[in-house]
Structure formats: structure tokens, C-alpha cells
Amino acid sequence: MNEYSQPRSGISALIRDRRTIRSFTSDPLDRAEVLSQLYAAASAVATDWTQPDARYIFVGSDDGKRRAAAIIMEAYREQGLYRFLPDKLNRVMQERLARIPAYLIVQLRTGAAAERDLASVYAALHRFTLLAWSRDIGLVWNTEPILHKPCIAQGFGLGNDQRIVCILYLGRFAKAPKAKRRTPAQDKLTLLR
Amino acid sequence: MNMTALLEQMRPARRFTDRPIAEPLLLELLNDAVWAPTHKLREAWRFIRITDSARPRLRTTVDSSRYPALATVLKEAPLLLIVAVPDSPNSHVAEDDFAAACCLIQNLQLLAWEQGIGMAWELADYSRCASLLATAQVREDERIAGVLGLGYFANDDRNADLPPRPDSTDLQVQVW
Ligand SMILES: Cc1cc2nc3c(=O)[nH]c(=O)nc-3n(C[C@H](O)[C@H](O)[C@H](O)COP(=O)(O)O)c2cc1C
């Protein structure tokens, strides 16, 4: 039996086809294009009209990337992860970061409704992910614990009441990776009678 | 519909018709929605569907003066669904799982809209609503990522004029 009763809608196909992209081509991204997608995604509303107090840093210039990569590398060093590794590896990582076409650093002012604000930012970022994907731009979310190191806060200019939500690394890509199967919703559904 | 048009039109639902959402359609929507990004493919979400016989029980657990929007959704929405995620003691894992559930919920809202179904996403810190959590059988090591109310739009609601959208230029973007 066919799993689907109807042909897939455009959105259904978009949602299913989207993949996390971890390696990018060297094609530069058009800043205006990416930012207009971000605007479109962030100004759409999932919960209500209250917008979370989010701030974004779009890092796309060579200079900006050098600056951001240095901050990120410093966080790894603080973590102790790379302290004992040869400089060569540090350089390799730094070069890898430099080759990623753009980063989007996402920050949030955390007020009384922290969980709610976080949810609306996540929802907005996912809308952005889908919109970008529909224009052949891929990305990966990064939420590693090193993002909460003091050097990150300082380097990216976070205020006391602000936190990093994640860094998105984005760019064009040659080929989407294969999809990894999801568990059917039925298996995760409980009926409360 | 393309994504740009959908983003422009979509809004949280407030009023619904009584028309029920067929079970196979709900499953179809959920089986699309689970294609959310999820770190390490944990898929840590879980769905609790509140049947009509459980609804009154659940409603009595919510103080409508404190949670008016939630109380309205529990009363009005033809279909009620709770998305629960583990509240892992590792805060990083807990946040990633919460984020993935939020992506899934966003997928569901987009997919539903295309079918003429609106979704209200009620999210608050429910950790102090012990009787709501207990009645919905949300486990102690879980939290709620959303109480979702779904239903077909009342004709006049889909395009109802809500307050103006936030001005996109309000977005705070720095360029490096
Ligand atoms: C909150 C969140 C954080 C993530 N963090 C990372 C990360 O740090 N590194 C990474 O490679 N992928 C990360 N991912 C992507 C997931 O690993 C990816 O969604 C999963 O492997 C499923 O693949 P797909 O997105 O292509 O369907 C993250 C996803 C989410 C939702």
C-alpha cells in the first residue's frame, strides 16, 4: 500500500528533502539574498506576535570570518580540546572555518519567558533553514557547549542578559547527503483517553 | 504554495470550525513533520494526543486566569496534541532536543496551513503545572515543548486581520 494518500505538497517535499549540509562549495553567498531570507523567516510568526529579542551577526567577509574564526578557535582552546594538539591541526581547523562561505551567529536576550523566546527563535531558524534550502543554500546548526565559553560572549559582544543560541554555518553545496530514516510518528504517539 | 508565500500568509490560529481532522491526515502531517533536523538523530520527541474523553479532565487542571490562551485552546481546538521532550540533566542535550521539537512543531504548522488547518502553539514554562503534567501523563523526566491546538480555519479567520506584522527592519543584524 502506498504510504501516502495524496501527492506530496510543495512544503511536504521541501521539509522531507531538506538535509543538514556540512561541506560547502566555494561559491560566495549573496549577503542581501541571505539576509532577505532571514527577514522573511524571522518576521513570520508561529506562536504569537511577540517577537523574541534576537540579534544576528552575519559573517561573510574574509575579514569577518578571520575575526569570528579566531574567537571560535579560542573557545576550543579554552575547552582544552586543542591545547595539546599540534599547531598544524589548529591551522587546519582555522582554514576549514575560513572556507565556509558564511556564518550566522544567533544571540538572544533572555527575559522572563526564556523558554518561549528560545522556542520562537528555534522556529524562526528552522523557517530560515527551509527557505534557504528552497533556494539551494544549505546549512548546519552548531550548538556545541563551547559556545557558552566566556571568550565567545566577549568576542561576539554579548551583554549580561544575552546568550548565544547557535551558530549556523552556511553555503552552497554540490550534493545533498542521503536522508537518514525517521521513526514513524505512530511509534511515538500515545493516546490519552 | 511556495515557502515565501506561505511565510507571508501563515499566522497562529485563533478560531476553528468544528470539522474534525481525520486521523490518517494527522498521521500524514506528523510523518512529514518528523523530518525536522535532530541532533545525532535522537528524535527525542513524543506525541500525546488528547482524546475528547480526556479533554475535560485536562481542562480542569488549567487556571484560565493565569493561562488564558492555553485554556482557550484546550476548550476550542478540535484536535489537541502535546509534544513532550526529555528534560535531560545534561542541559546541552536537553536544549538540542527542545530545539529539534520546535523545528518539528514549526514543520507541522507549515504543513497544516497548506491543508487549511490552523495551529495554535501554546508554550509556557509548565514545570509548575503539576496537575496538567500528571493528567497528560508527561513523565517527570520530560517537559512540554508545546500544547498544540489544530483545526480547520473558520472562513473568516484565515485572513483575519491581526495586528500588523513586526517591521522586518526591526531585526537586529550586524554584518561582519
Ligand atoms: C539543535 C540542533 C543542533 C545541531 N547541532 C549540530 C552540530 O553541532 N553538528 C552537526 O554536524 N550537526 C548538528 N545538527 C544537525 C543534525 O545532526 C541533523 O539534523 C541530523 O543528523 C539529521 O540529518 P538531517 O538534518 O540531514 O535530516 C544539529 C541539529 C539541531 C536541530
Side-chain angles (χ1 to χ4, degrees):
Chain A
M1 198 182 85
N2 195 324
E3 194 185 346
Y4 296 93
S5 52
Q6 298 163 7
R8 301 257 167 84
S9 71
I11 295 301
S12 160
L14 174 62
I15 284 171
R16 285 174 167 261
D17 291 347
R18 176 214 56 83
R19 290 282 71 77
T20 293
I21 297 296
R22 298 182 177 83
S23 62
F24 306 97
T25 63
S26 57
D27 301 319
L29 285 183
D30 180 41
R31 184 177 86 203
E33 184 189 359
V34 173
L35 289 183
S36 80
Q37 291 167 2
L38 182 64
Y39 287 144
S43 55
V45 173
T47 45
D48 56 31
W49 295 102
T50 357
Q51 286 284 29
D53 192 352
R55 209 181 86 178
Y56 303 87
I57 306 178
F58 177 87
V59 184
S61 70
D62 286 344
D63 235 28
K65 282 196 279 180
R66 256 193 299 279
R67 198 171 139 202
I71 297 165
I72 294 165
M73 291 301 297
E74 178 57 29
Y76 281 116
R77 265 191 295 275
E78 250 183 53
Q79 177 90 336
L81 267 181
Y82 294 95
R83 188 180 304 153
F84 305 110
L85 294 176
D87 275 356
K88 188 166 166 238
L89 195 78
N90 272 319
R91 260 207 319 280
V92 169
M93 269 212 56
Q94 206 138 7
E95 278 162 18
R96 248 187 87 188
L97 281 170
R99 276 200 305 270
I100 297 174
Y103 325 154
L104 192 68
I105 293 147
V106 185
Q107 311 174 352
L108 177 68
R109 193 179 303 280
T110 48
E115 203 164 88
R116 215 191 142 84
D117 288 345
L118 207 48
S120 13
V121 174
Y122 289 140
L125 292 177
H126 187 54
R127 294 192 293 270
F128 170 69
T129 304
L130 289 171
L131 188 54
W133 182 266
S134 75
R135 308 287 164 78
D136 302 321
I137 294 172
L139 58 83
V140 57
W141 292 44
N142 183 274
T143 56
E144 282 174 274
I146 60 126
L147 297 183
H148 303 293
K149 295 272 164 205
C151 66
I152 293 272
Q154 205 190 3
F156 293 119
L158 293 182
N160 282 337
D161 54 351
Q162 287 177 316
R163 55 161 288 174
I164 286 256
V165 176
C166 65
I167 299 183
L168 305 183
Y169 293 106
L170 52 157
R172 306 239 173 236
F173 54 96
K175 195 164 171 272
K178 263 177 70 178
K180 297 193 196 95
R181 182 180 168 277
R182 297 302 197 265
T183 308
Q186 294 87 311
D187 298 355
K188 289 177 169 282
L189 178 68
T190 313
L191 282 192
L192 188 72
R193 291 182 199 280
Chain B
M1 199 183 304
N2 73 34
M3 189 63 190
T4 313
L6 190 53
L7 288 182
E8 272 167 18
Q9 291 176 22
M10 198 179 62
R11 56 201 58 216
R14 299 175 303 169
R15 280 171 291 145
F16 310 96
T17 64
D18 296 336
R19 183 179 162 195
I21 297 173
E23 196 73 30
L25 177 59
L26 173 68
L27 284 177
E28 203 170 303
L29 295 174
L30 285 176
N31 274 320
D32 281 348
V34 295
W35 286 90
T38 159
H39 200 26
K40 310 252 163 91
L41 219 64
R42 275 196 298 272
E43 303 184 276
W45 49 71
R46 182 167 85 80
F47 308 107
I48 305 165
R49 158 110 197 268
I50 315 297
T51 64
D52 284 340
S53 55
R55 183 195 296 257
R57 249 187 300 145
L58 203 64
R59 281 183 62 193
T60 58
T61 67
V62 174
D63 175 357
S64 61
S65 60
R66 236 177 111 193
Y67 298 103
L70 176 62
T72 308
V73 167
L74 291 183
K75 176 166 175 269
E76 307 275 339
L79 192 148
L80 291 173
L81 194 69
I82 292 178
V83 181
V85 286
D87 200 0
S88 157
N90 175 333
S91 66
H92 172 236
V93 170
E95 275 196 359
D96 276 357
D97 288 345
F98 182 71
C102 292
C103 295
L104 183 155
I105 292 169
Q106 181 58 84
N107 278 347
L108 184 62
Q109 190 182 33
L110 289 162
L111 291 156
W113 183 277
E114 240 192 359
Q115 306 290 328
I117 295 170
M119 188 189 95
W121 175 359
E122 288 307 316
L123 170 70
D125 181 354
Y126 294 117
S127 57
R128 283 186 309 273
C129 307
S131 63
L132 170 74
L133 296 174
T135 305
Q137 294 172 18
V138 174
R139 290 191 298 262
E140 254 163 45
D141 57 355
E142 290 179 320
R143 63 173 157 163
I144 290 179
V147 176
L148 310 181
L150 293 123
Y152 287 92
F153 285 102
N155 261 341
D156 59 337
D157 198 40
R158 185 158 172 164
N159 301 305
D161 43 347
L162 289 171
R165 263 168 200 289
D167 183 353
S168 61
T169 54
D170 282 353
L171 276 193
Q172 306 172 62
V173 180
Q174 251 185 54
V175 174
W176 280 22

